[in-house]
Amino acid sequence: MNFKRIQTIFIVAFVILDLFLLASYAWGSQPMVTNSHQNQQVALRRQMRADDIKLPLLSDQRQSGYYVLVTPDQNLVKQTQNLAPLKNATIQENENLVTVTYDKPVVLNSKTTAPAKVAPELTHQKRLVAGNHYLYHPDLSTSKTLVYSQELQGRPLLDSAGELRIFRNASGAITGYTQGRLSNSKLLRSRQPTISQLEAVNWLYKNNQLANNSKVRWVKLGYTKLQCSDDQLIYVPAWVAEVKNQTSGAGHLLRVNAFRENLIKVP
Amino acid sequence: MSKKLRANWRIGLLSVVLVISVILSGLVWVMPYRYEHPNEATAPRVTSVATMAQENLYVPTMVVKTGPDREQHLLFNQPQNVVLTARESLRKWTLQKGKQVSADNPTAYREYLRQSNALVLSYPSAVAIATFNTTFNQKLSAKDLTLVNRIVIPLTGQARIYLLRDQGTVVYRYQVNAQRLTKLKASLLGGRRLPVEYRWLNNQLVLTYPHAITLPTYRAAIEQQNVDSLAQTLLNSAKGKRLAQRVEGNQRIYHNGSDKRLVYDQAQGTLTFENYLSQPTRYSLQTVYAHFFRRLQQTGIIQDQLQFDTFDHAKQQITYRTTVEGFPVYNEDNYGTVRLRESETGVESLRFSCYSLTTPLPTKQSALTLPATAVVFNGLQAVGKLKDVQGLRLGYWWHSDPTAKEVTVRPTYLVKYKGEWVPYQTLMHEGGQPA
């Protein structure tokens, strides 16, 4: 082999080496944090897929909310008893929840049978107190039970104390309802940031709250009772997720405190 | 000549590719160093996910608004949270073209803080510009300003922002693109406001209160952390595996047999963790804040209401402290305080309390009145201690009670005396207790 040939081989070899070094340098100077974090998220998704867990589209936008002090409406049962059309209805009260069973099912005309209009119409007919102050939730409702909730600081109250459940029979007539009502809200501290929808679901998975073969149907940010203080209640923003077993179809709700990343247990 | 060149071109080219490969090898070789110490001048790149919690930790805590006649008020308890709103707004703006407009001039520095129709957001102590960048989603170079104590936002729509560093009284002016002030202005409504004045005291900038002030008390739940599970996290022990421990008087000592040790003082509720590293690590000023944040995340300590308080660069020591509505909370046994240190000898130490403030509760006690700052200074002068005072801040006192499930914290002046923050009453007469 002549000298020129050896030189050419060396040039080619070093050019290849240079290209390789350049590539590894460029790769290495990518920001580490971004990579490792994105990788973590991708790995987590892959794991969930392997566990046959189905998720809706989730947002990584952080939100904000308040620690709110609220009082249950003590007058609700009295106001309900004072409604003239309920003279013969059964009215029960249990832990500030009022349950009314109409003496005979109420049939609404076709214009007012749209679920969102049922509560305002019943209020208009004086068969329900302040039903127009509740918001209808199609996700939480079934054909037999229509679920509505009050709002607190621009977000729904996602627990029974601020909820209205209207019951319908098979023919669509209203048989009665259970109502919780909160009044007098007061902020305990200034607005604070919360975790994102995505972080809430990741937290649930990492803490073994999402079983294999389950489906997260939806994840909503709403206010949930955290604890009692004397006769007042402290509410915090919580990510509430409905989780269904994909085989049996049985569902349940999970609540993650959006300020602290822990599970809020509802008795 | 050309013939000679043509004959030797291979040699020339070979030398060139050889030199390139040597340079590139060198660069690749030093890359692990680059991972841990990103270039000082270019602050780390911001990512949307990883840095979100960090931006909750390193935030300005005090908000002062200057009116049209340069009268100043401390703002707190605003429902919208001025600092949070400022952060949300600033993250959408672009700060650029930094220019130093003042330095080594305490008088001018104070004038920048007192410009009319502006908002001053102050950190409890200086943070690196990289930390500011992470919190406010900016890309400012550390070549200009390395540390920030205060942010001045004019509310008149001048499209300018000033960043101020107390040390050396440095003021930088930045141009702002895409500035929208509507939400920030709306966040100033409601809440409480107290008249204040910035003053220099023994070379320290102090926020003073010219009149007696009435402040609310705050109540919150106390959570006591499980020391066994903390020990398991800190000593990286597998779940269920019992750690070696021994009891010496009031102290319970956990150790992993080699490099990690946790001492729990049962009387005070304090925990001291020591981690003997194989070799000391020195972090640059721009990366050390993020490093301590990551370490804090790994500890398993409750971080409710915890915020950055102070950083000592010489000691490589950081303190995070519980706050209520931006005010620092102090306690005689350091409840609600986390201190992290990377010593030069390679010992990583962590000191914290097993008690934390968590859920806010409605307060049952009425507001308390504190005297004007001048009254406090006169009192300190009378006992001959004013000359050693290095700072004064308004804060809240959490009285120790290991059995309590909740606490009402009460407002007081804290005075930095000979390096320690103490309630002003204790300096007036020995053994005095805060109100």
Side-chain angles (χ1 to χ4, degrees):
Chain A
M1 216 188 296
N2 70 20
F3 190 57
K4 278 182 186 169
R5 196 115 181 234
I6 295 170
Q7 279 180 331
T8 315
I9 291 169
F10 266 84
I11 289 168
V12 172
F14 271 100
V15 166
I16 292 170
L17 178 69
D18 284 357
L19 287 174
F20 169 75
L21 286 172
L22 195 72
S24 70
Y25 176 70
W27 184 257
S29 33
Q30 295 277 325
M32 286 288 285
V33 187
T34 318
N35 272 350
S36 72
H37 209 90
Q38 281 171 353
N39 288 348
Q40 263 176 30
Q41 187 54 44
V42 169
L44 207 61
R45 270 295 162 100
R46 202 172 292 146
Q47 258 177 328
M48 286 198 228
R49 212 170 296 142
D51 288 346
D52 221 356
I53 294 168
K54 292 220 163 61
L55 302 177
L57 205 62
L58 298 169
S59 158
D60 64 356
Q61 284 288 307
R62 295 223 162 186
Q63 308 286 327
S64 62
Y66 301 87
Y67 283 102
V68 195
L69 187 70
V70 292
T71 325
D73 188 352
Q74 307 288 344
N75 297 322
L76 181 63
V77 68
K78 196 168 276 175
Q79 285 177 316
T80 309
Q81 281 160 348
N82 287 344
L83 295 175
L86 298 188
K87 212 166 58 189
N88 296 321
T90 320
I91 302 170
Q92 290 168 311
E93 195 208 1
N94 181 26
E95 290 182 354
N96 298 316
L97 292 185
V98 174
T99 301
V100 171
T101 312
Y102 294 130
D103 48 339
K104 55 177 191 261
V106 178
V107 180
L108 299 176
N109 71 39
S110 59
K111 274 186 191 161
T112 51
T113 48
K117 288 181 180 166
V118 171
E121 178 58 22
L122 288 176
T123 306
H124 180 70
Q125 294 182 9
K126 296 204 171 4
R127 292 172 199 272
L128 168 69
V129 176
N132 41 355
H133 293 154
Y134 291 77
L135 221 74
Y136 175 62
H137 289 288
D139 282 338
L140 293 163
S141 305
T142 61
S143 60
K144 292 267 173 67
T145 310
L146 306 178
V147 181
Y148 300 73
S149 76
Q150 279 183 285
E151 272 202 341
L152 193 60
Q153 298 299 328
R155 300 197 188 282
L157 261 163
L158 294 176
D159 75 5
S160 59
E163 222 169 57
L164 167 67
R165 286 174 176 264
I166 297 178
F167 308 114
R168 294 200 291 196
N169 62 19
S171 56
I174 315 294
T175 58
Y177 62 85
T178 297
Q179 185 178 19
R181 192 171 182 221
L182 298 172
S183 57
N184 298 332
S185 72
K186 189 188 156 210
L187 304 181
L188 284 171
R189 295 283 189 274
S190 305
R191 190 166 62 98
Q192 294 185 21
T194 69
I195 57 166
S196 70
Q197 201 182 27
L198 179 69
E199 285 168 307
V201 172
N202 287 349
W203 188 89
L204 283 173
Y205 179 70
K206 285 190 214 159
N207 289 274
N208 303 320
Q209 298 295 325
L210 299 180
N212 290 1
N213 187 35
S214 59
K215 182 182 180 179
V216 178
R217 278 190 63 218
W218 48 259
V219 188
K220 281 183 208 291
L221 187 61
Y223 279 88
T224 292
K225 183 170 74 185
L226 183 67
Q227 67 183 78
C228 304
S229 173
D230 303 327
D231 55 349
Q232 293 172 305
L233 311 169
I234 294 163
Y235 272 70
V236 288
W239 286 104
V240 182
E242 194 196 49
V243 183
K244 267 199 159 157
N245 182 306
Q246 292 190 79
T247 321
S248 70
H252 63 286
L253 298 182
L254 290 171
R255 295 155 201 270
V256 183
N257 182 337
F259 283 148
R260 283 196 67 184
E261 285 198 312
N262 55 8
L263 210 61
I264 301 175
K265 293 220 166 76
V266 180
Chain B
M1 177 72 195
S2 67
K3 201 176 175 186
K4 206 174 180 185
L5 198 75
R6 217 175 301 147
N8 290 328
W9 71 269
R10 283 194 178 85
I11 305 253
L13 189 61
L14 190 56
S15 326
V16 170
V17 290
L18 211 117
V19 168
I20 291 175
S21 74
V22 167
I23 293 170
L24 283 172
S25 307
L27 284 173
V28 172
W29 186 258
V30 297
M31 220 146 50
Y33 172 80
R34 287 169 51 89
Y35 285 151
E36 280 175 37
H37 308 267
N39 192 348
E40 284 265 350
T42 55
R45 206 185 286 187
V46 178
T47 60
S48 66
V49 197
T51 53
M52 286 305 278
Q54 194 180 335
E55 67 180 53
N56 291 340
L57 197 65
Y58 295 108
V59 284
T61 51
M62 288 282 154
V63 180
V64 171
K65 185 179 181 276
T66 317
D69 298 320
R70 311 228 286 176
E71 71 286 7
Q72 296 195 294
H73 288 93
L74 176 80
L75 267 54
F76 63 99
N77 270 6
Q78 276 66 35
Q80 278 299 306
N81 191 339
V82 181
V83 174
L84 179 59
T85 313
R87 197 174 84 194
E88 288 162 348
S89 298
L90 248 147
R91 288 184 71 85
K92 293 178 194 148
W93 306 346
T94 314
L95 270 59
Q96 57 190 20
K97 296 186 183 151
K99 186 172 179 253
Q100 185 176 305
V101 288
S102 175
D104 296 318
N105 186 344
T107 316
Y109 191 78
R110 189 167 160 258
E111 289 307 297
Y112 276 103
L113 285 174
R114 292 180 63 231
Q115 55 184 296
S116 58
N117 293 310
L119 209 56
V120 183
L121 307 178
S122 302
Y123 286 97
S125 57
V127 299
I129 201 79
T131 311
F132 170 88
N133 283 346
T134 307
T135 304
F136 293 103
N137 190 26
Q138 299 298 326
K139 294 188 177 105
L140 304 183
S141 163
K143 273 183 194 152
D144 297 339
L145 195 63
T146 47
L147 291 164
V148 193
N149 285 84
R150 297 161 210 280
I151 306 160
V152 179
I153 309 172
L155 296 170
T156 44
Q158 302 169 2
R160 278 179 189 169
I161 276 185
Y162 300 85
L163 299 187
L164 289 78
R165 189 182 78 200
D166 285 6
Q167 191 198 4
T169 57
V170 183
V171 181
Y172 263 81
R173 188 178 66 208
Y174 294 87
Q175 284 187 19
V176 186
N177 270 357
Q179 190 182 30
R180 289 234 167 97
L181 291 165
T182 328
K183 279 193 176 160
L184 187 57
K185 281 181 180 169
S187 75
L188 306 176
L189 301 173
R192 294 278 316 276
R193 45 190 68 205
L194 300 172
V196 286
E197 278 171 15
Y198 281 106
R199 296 209 170 275
W200 287 102
L201 171 76
N202 302 338
N203 287 325
Q204 295 293 320
L205 193 68
V206 173
L207 195 61
T208 63
Y209 302 82
H211 310 293
I213 46 177
T214 303
L215 290 154
T217 58
Y218 294 103
R219 192 165 144 249
I222 298 172
E223 195 165 319
Q224 185 180 359
Q225 277 199 274
N226 182 317
V227 176
D228 281 332
S229 68
L230 273 171
Q232 225 119 39
T233 311
L234 287 169
L235 276 66
N236 304 111
S237 161
K239 261 197 182 145
K241 192 186 156 207
R242 268 186 72 82
L243 278 164
Q245 53 171 293
R246 63 174 196 273
V247 177
E248 284 176 14
N250 260 335
Q251 295 189 329
R252 203 182 326 154
I253 301 161
Y254 298 82
H255 53 91
N256 70 345
S258 55
D259 55 345
K260 295 187 180 76
R261 195 170 97 107
L262 176 73
V263 179
Y264 172 42
D265 184 318
Q266 289 163 311
Q268 282 196 314
T270 44
L271 293 112
T272 314
F273 170 69
E274 278 167 348
N275 183 10
Y276 296 85
L277 306 169
S278 48
Q279 62 183 60
T281 327
R282 192 86 188 153
Y283 294 89
S284 77
L285 188 58
Q286 298 299 323
T287 57
V288 73
Y289 291 82
H291 165 73
F292 279 124
F293 159 73
R294 283 192 295 273
R295 288 298 292 132
L296 179 70
Q297 296 310 101
Q298 291 158 3
T299 58
I301 299 171
I302 295 176
Q303 289 163 38
D304 273 49
Q305 330 292 334
L306 207 62
Q307 271 165 2
F308 162 71
D309 195 42
T310 55
F311 175 61
D312 183 330
H313 190 53
K315 281 193 195 167
Q316 294 266 88
Q317 176 177 300
I318 204 158
T319 307
Y320 301 105
R321 183 179 295 284
T322 300
T323 55
V324 276
E325 294 295 316
F327 293 110
V329 176
Y330 284 83
N331 166 278
E332 60 261 45
D333 297 314
N334 287 315
Y335 287 6
T337 312
V338 179
R339 204 188 66 194
L340 267 157
R341 186 175 175 192
E342 299 283 352
S343 86
E344 275 177 43
T345 53
V347 185
E348 188 178 65
S349 63
L350 168 68
R351 219 190 73 182
F352 63 105
S353 160
C354 64
Y355 301 104
S356 307
L357 281 194
T358 56
T359 312
L361 302 170
T363 181
K364 288 172 175 167
Q365 287 181 28
S366 49
L368 288 172
T369 303
L370 296 177
T373 316
V375 175
V376 176
F377 285 162
N378 288 342
L380 291 168
Q381 181 86 61
V383 291
K385 289 174 177 168
L386 189 64
K387 59 182 190 307
D388 294 319
V389 169
Q390 298 154 292
L392 173 131
R393 68 199 299 202
L394 199 55
Y396 276 79
W397 191 258
W398 173 359
H399 189 67
S400 283
D401 179 356
T403 58
K405 292 274 176 273
E406 54 189 55
V407 68
T408 301
V409 292
R410 297 148 68 89
T412 185
Y413 283 114
L414 281 309
V415 176
K416 193 176 186 185
Y417 182 71
K418 294 183 174 169
E420 290 285 322
W421 285 98
V422 287
Y424 78 103
Q425 297 95 324
T426 56
L427 292 177
M428 300 296 188
H429 43 86
E430 284 309 317
Q433 280 293 310

